[in-house]
Amino acid sequence: MGKLTTHVLDTANGRPGAGIKIELFALSGDTRRAIKTTTTNHDGRCDAPLLEGDALVTGEYELVFHAGDYFASTGTKAPEPRFVDRVVLRFGVADAGAHWHVPLLVSPWSWSTYRGS
C-alpha cells in the first residue's frame, strides 16, 4: 500500500520543526487542486500519512511549508521580507504503490529536500 509522508527539521536551531502548517496540492497541467492542510507535531512529523492507499495516485504534487511563520513563532530574527517564507516543493509520484517520503530541512536562509525512505 503506497503512502506519502513528510517531516521538517529546523537546521538553524537543531530541532524538529514543530507546528509548521503544510498544504498538499495535486497538479494537473496548470490546475492546482487542494487536497489537505495539516500541521507538524512535536517531532516535526505529521500524525498520519498525507495520502495513502487509493488516495495516492501517480502524478504530480506540491507541498507548501509555511516555514517563515514557524521561524517567526520561535522568535528567530529575520529581515522583512523574509528570505525563506513559504517553501514550495513540486515532485512526481511514479509508483502509487511505493512509500514516498519528502522531508524538508530548513533555516531562515536556506532549505533542501531529498527522496527519503
Side-chain angles (χ1 to χ4, degrees), residues 66-103:
H66 292 248
D69 293 341
Y70 161 77
F71 284 112
S73 75
T74 67
T76 302
K77 299 291 184 199
E80 287 294 333
R82 299 168 178 156
F83 184 74
V84 171
D85 191 16
R86 290 188 181 152
V87 176
V88 178
L89 299 179
R90 288 188 172 198
F91 60 96
V93 168
D95 177 1
H99 179 188
W100 295 85
H101 186 64
V102 184

Side-chain angles (χ1 to χ4, degrees), residues 9-98:
L9 297 174
D10 172 349
T11 58
N13 296 297
R15 62 184 176 211
I20 297 177
K21 178 180 174 181
I22 301 171
E23 298 171 291
L24 173 65
F25 299 89
L27 305 174
S28 179
D30 291 335
T31 303
R32 183 177 181 242
R33 180 177 52 89
I35 297 176
K36 185 175 204 169
T37 299
T38 190
T39 304
T40 57
N41 63 23
H42 71 282
D43 197 33
R45 298 178 183 277
C46 299
D47 290 329
L50 298 171
L51 293 173
E52 65 183 323
D54 292 340
L56 179 64
V57 298
T58 300
E60 294 182 71
Y61 294 89
E62 179 179 280
L63 284 168
V64 180
F65 298 85
H66 292 248
D69 293 341
Y70 161 77
F71 284 112
S73 75
T74 67
T76 302
K77 299 291 184 199
E80 287 294 333
R82 299 168 178 156
F83 184 74
V84 171
D85 191 16
R86 290 188 181 152
V87 176
V88 178
L89 299 179
R90 288 188 172 198
F91 60 96
V93 168
D95 177 1

